[in-house]
Amino acid sequence: MADKTINKYSFQMKKLISTLLTLLIFAVGSAMAQRANYQIIPLPKQVEVDQTQAFTLQNGMGVSFDASNPEILRNAQFLCQWVEQSTGVKLLTTPNDQKAAIRLIIGMDADSKSKKGKKVEEPQPLKEQQQEAYKIKVGENGISIYAHNPIGFFRAAQTLRKALPIVKQGEEAKIELPYATIQDEPRFVYRGVLLDCARHFFSVEMIKEFIDVMALHGCNQFHWHLTEDQGWRFEVKSMPELALRGSIREQTVIGPNSGIYDGIPHGGYYTQDECRDVVKYAAERYINVIPEIDLPGHMQSALHVYPELGCTGGPYPVRTYWGVSREVLCGGNPETLTFLKKVLSEVCDVFPSKIIHIGGDEVPKDRWKVCPKCQAKIKELGIKDDGKHSPENQLQSYINKEIEAFLAERGRDIIGWDEILEGGLSGKSIIMSWRGTKGGVEAAKQGHRVIMSPNVYSYIDHPQLKDVAKQPRTTGSYIVSASKVHSFEPLIPETLSDEEQDYILGSQVNLWTEHVAYPEHAFYQLLPRLGAASEVQWCRPDQKDFESFKERLPQLKKLYDLMGVPYCNGLE
Ligand code: ACM
Ligand code: ZN
């Protein structure tokens, strides 16, 4: 009896010791091999995890890819690069190697198709968002990544990168990836960010960093604001003076039009070769570059070089302070269209984008109302005030239609700010709704495609913290906190029917740079609000939860640190 008791106790003791040992081994093990966490930003569509089992990724393991496709090789190389940067684990690309630890497999159900007896369904045409879909399976045989197209591998590689812990390790480097199935695709086809490189010039090197950060967040449209009253930044070979002289302002006002100037000339423009280089760099990261030539307003830098294109004849300095200029291209001078077509023809040579942004915002009509040429053109076109659209707004619409036809011959569609609705819209124009969502709603109801970029949710030049004093100077009239950005719903379901919602292609955040002169400040404005915006662009509404976003953010910030990009540390 006594023996039995001893045996029972010793058995329980052994069990306890073994449990403690297991826990100890696990603790030491996890101190040695850190774990991936798939709770990333933007949150994938579906994540199923089994935390009780994990695959260990270690130095020297292979990433298999389809050797006939260089685009897939490039994405395999991105994956190797990012894994090593974050964890020290060195992987090797290995063509067509089914035994590799990581396998990039074309076809979403490639595994199940190969299984005998399984019914293979007829392939259906993919919707645009599905082109980007991917599936990651982590199990005992390693990591299988499935995608319809090479872009899916890029998205999957970014997901794994964001899931990895950031640890410094040497030869023995290893990482545990809990068994999981992740299925993902974006909600919207258009996921944009604008960078204003006209109010302040940013180097090509900075723009590439900006593009890398966009790609990290799953964005796919870089809206490059290239021309402004305060500077012309695109080289036009047939009119070299435009960039040479139009890019330089004599000095810059300090703060919000304080009347005090810094006395320092500001300049810089992008050569066409540099633009092509940016386009290529972005394309390798699945980002389309949409150039914007803002017309017929915001053109004072062009008027500086060609004063004869203005209603008054000038002179016009490249503007040294902020706000909306009354000086716009003359709507009645036929040379205006000739000039714009010369510019846009070179824009089309350099930028393959299917859509070209023609601006159209903030065009005061003061000059046009009293300009003999503009008024003669209105008469010649037989334009009458129709009660809805003023004659001058219709004159702007006439210019837009001429430009639209010119670009259509080159296979491009126009996109413009919501003001272009005011003179009447034609054809395939896309509206970018910035003065709230009203313009976007109206355009969708008229059957036009729309990008939602309402200022109160999307203008990340504004401060992000309530305590304005804690931040560098920004535009300032209202706060656009990360939670505000995160709360935006682009489809406006309370106003738009299901069919009308189909015209909403997506959303965009805009980084205007009147008060942002340095890359560090630009990234501070961008981050972490781009994280919040990326959930608007990528995630379904029922997945969006700001509290959860806050919990997931520290992991992303570690990656920002690793990439060396500054960000704002507060959230409200
Ligand atoms: C704009 O903010 N003027 C488009
Ligand atoms: Zn005029």
Side-chain angles (χ1 to χ4, degrees):
M1 188 71 194
D3 279 350
K4 257 192 179 172
T5 314
I6 289 165
N7 282 345
K8 190 174 150 201
Y9 279 122
S10 71
F11 174 72
Q12 282 179 343
M13 193 59 89
K14 265 191 204 152
K15 211 173 147 194
L16 182 68
I17 288 168
S18 117
T19 310
L20 284 173
L21 267 177
T22 313
L23 282 174
L24 190 69
I25 288 165
F26 181 75
V28 171
S30 47
M32 280 164 20
Q34 300 220 27
R35 288 209 145 201
N37 173 8
Y38 309 117
Q39 293 298 304
I40 60 163
I41 293 172
L43 195 62
K45 193 172 174 186
Q46 226 179 326
V47 182
E48 287 162 20
V49 193
D50 172 3
Q51 290 289 359
T52 65
Q53 305 186 79
F55 173 74
T56 303
L57 192 65
Q58 33 194 326
N59 267 345
M61 285 182 162
V63 179
S64 162
F65 63 97
D66 177 346
S68 66
N69 191 326
E71 205 178 326
I72 301 181
L73 169 61
R74 194 175 60 225
N75 291 333
Q77 287 165 339
F78 275 133
L79 180 61
C80 295
Q81 180 191 324
W82 295 332
V83 168
E84 186 175 351
Q85 270 170 3
S86 291
T87 67
V89 173
K90 292 188 179 68
L91 302 174
L92 308 162
T93 52
T94 146
N96 308 330
D97 175 7
Q98 298 200 353
K99 292 208 172 66
I102 303 183
R103 299 161 300 275
L104 309 187
I105 302 158
I106 278 282
M108 211 52 110
D109 291 307
D111 269 4
S112 44
K113 264 187 204 154
S114 63
K115 280 183 192 139
K116 271 196 186 143
K118 181 141 178 131
K119 188 167 169 267
V120 178
E121 288 180 9
E122 277 296 299
Q124 300 292 317
L126 296 176
K127 286 203 307 200
E128 232 177 307
Q129 288 95 320
Q130 289 173 318
Q131 307 280 354
E132 300 187 47
Y134 66 88
K135 182 159 78 182
I136 301 173
K137 275 191 181 173
V138 183
E140 61 180 334
N141 295 327
I143 305 171
S144 305
I145 304 176
Y146 305 89
H148 300 293
N149 295 307
I151 186 173
F153 298 124
F154 184 79
R155 301 276 174 244
Q158 291 279 16
T159 288
L160 286 172
R161 174 195 200 185
K162 285 183 277 189
L164 292 174
I166 297 187
V167 276
K168 280 223 171 328
Q169 302 183 93
E171 280 300 295
E172 298 303 307
K174 52 176 74 141
I175 291 295
E176 285 182 353
L177 290 110
Y179 286 6
T181 303
I182 299 169
Q183 299 204 55
D184 201 12
E185 71 186 42
R187 180 181 182 205
F188 289 107
V189 286
Y190 185 108
R191 306 181 299 278
V193 184
L194 172 147
L195 180 64
D196 171 7
C197 292
R199 264 54 171 267
H200 281 102
F201 176 79
F202 294 96
S203 68
V204 167
E205 186 192 356
M206 182 276 186
I207 287 167
K208 288 182 176 175
E209 255 184 281
F210 195 87
I211 285 168
D212 282 334
V213 170
M214 284 180 61
L216 178 73
H217 293 83
C219 303
N220 67 350
Q221 305 291 333
F222 174 51
H223 177 166
W224 200 0
H225 190 74
L226 282 167
T227 61
E228 262 305 337
D229 297 316
Q230 292 85 3
W232 184 280
R233 310 267 173 243
F234 173 65
E235 178 193 29
V236 179
K237 288 193 191 279
S238 60
M239 296 180 282
E241 294 286 295
L242 202 45
L244 286 174
R245 295 205 295 118
S247 64
I248 300 169
R249 62 173 178 265
E250 276 184 357
Q251 54 182 347
T252 304
V253 71
I254 293 173
N257 290 347
S258 62
I260 304 165
Y261 289 81
D262 66 4
I264 304 168
H266 181 86
Y269 67 89
Y270 306 101
T271 65
Q272 294 196 356
D273 282 348
E274 285 172 329
C275 292
R276 287 194 177 94
D277 181 35
V278 167
V279 165
K280 179 170 179 287
Y281 189 86
E284 285 170 0
R285 287 147 185 85
Y286 301 96
I287 290 175
N288 175 48
V289 181
I290 303 171
E292 180 183 356
I293 303 295
D294 201 346
L295 66 97
H298 292 273
M299 272 281 172
Q300 204 171 304
S301 57
L303 289 175
H304 173 64
V305 184
Y306 301 110
E308 63 277 17
L309 297 180
C311 292
T312 65
Y316 308 100
V318 177
R319 202 166 149 102
T320 55
Y321 57 99
W322 317 121
V324 178
S325 174
R326 281 191 305 179
E327 308 301 348
V328 302
L329 295 175
C330 175
N333 183 348
E335 292 304 316
T336 288
L337 279 174
T338 310
F339 164 79
L340 289 174
K341 288 176 185 176
K342 273 166 82 175
V343 171
L344 287 167
S345 134
E346 296 195 28
V347 164
C348 288
D349 288 346
V350 172
F351 295 97
S353 175
K354 287 290 287 176
I355 53 181
I356 305 287
H357 208 298
I358 62 158
D361 58 322
E362 299 173 323
V363 188
K365 303 296 183 321
D366 316 35
R367 298 296 192 211
W368 287 12
K369 279 186 187 147
V370 295
C371 167
K373 284 191 202 136
C374 287
Q375 291 305 314
K377 189 72 190 175
I378 285 173
K379 221 164 159 192
E380 179 200 317
L381 294 169
I383 292 174
K384 299 264 165 358
D385 194 336
D386 62 6
K388 277 209 319 227
H389 311 106
S390 75
E392 288 73 24
N393 282 344
Q394 291 179 68
L395 182 58
Q396 184 177 345
S397 181
Y398 157 77
I399 295 172
N400 292 344
K401 283 173 190 162
E402 287 284 314
I403 296 299
E404 184 181 4
F406 178 80
L407 290 174
E409 282 169 21
R410 286 151 186 80
R412 320 301 177 94
D413 292 341
I414 61 165
I415 175 164
W417 299 107
D418 56 66
E419 283 94 331
I420 69 169
L421 278 164
E422 288 165 7
L425 267 191
S426 74
K428 295 187 187 160
S429 352
I430 305 172
I431 288 295
M432 189 166 268
S433 190
W434 74 278
R435 296 174 301 175
T437 54
K438 200 166 146 276
V441 165
E442 188 186 327
K445 285 187 184 294
Q446 289 179 22
H448 287 278
R449 289 169 294 167
V450 170
I451 313 301
M452 285 294 187
S453 192
N455 45 8
V456 292
Y457 293 98
S458 316
Y459 272 37
I460 55 171
D461 51 325
H462 283 248
Q464 50 197 317
L465 305 177
K466 279 195 208 91
D467 189 348
V468 174
K470 279 194 182 153
Q471 304 153 82
R473 246 232 76 73
T474 49
T475 305
S477 55
Y478 49 86
I479 291 162
V480 180
S481 63
S483 67
K484 183 83 183 174
V485 173
H486 196 263
S487 68
F488 181 52
E489 170 45 51
L491 292 187
I492 325 294
E494 60 282 7
T495 314
L496 293 177
S497 69
D498 286 355
E499 294 80 61
E500 288 162 350
Q501 288 176 24
D502 284 344
Y503 290 105
I504 313 287
L505 302 183
S507 65
Q508 179 170 292
V509 286
N510 298 337
L511 181 43
W512 302 104
T513 60
E514 284 93 332
H515 305 290
V516 179
Y518 302 101
E520 292 79 7
H521 188 181
F523 285 113
Y524 173 95
Q525 293 298 125
L526 184 71
L527 303 172
R529 287 185 287 191
L530 185 57
S534 75
E535 299 226 315
V536 175
Q537 298 177 334
W538 192 279
C539 303
R540 271 72 194 156
D542 61 347
Q543 286 183 288
K544 271 175 63 199
D545 172 1
F546 193 66
E547 289 308 309
S548 142
F549 173 82
K550 283 202 285 196
E551 282 167 21
R552 287 175 280 126
L553 188 56
Q555 185 164 317
L556 186 58
K557 282 184 179 172
K558 285 190 192 142
L559 200 45
Y560 295 162
D561 287 331
L562 186 74
M563 292 167 81
V565 285
Y567 53 88
C568 172
N569 236 325
L571 269 183
E572 291 298 330

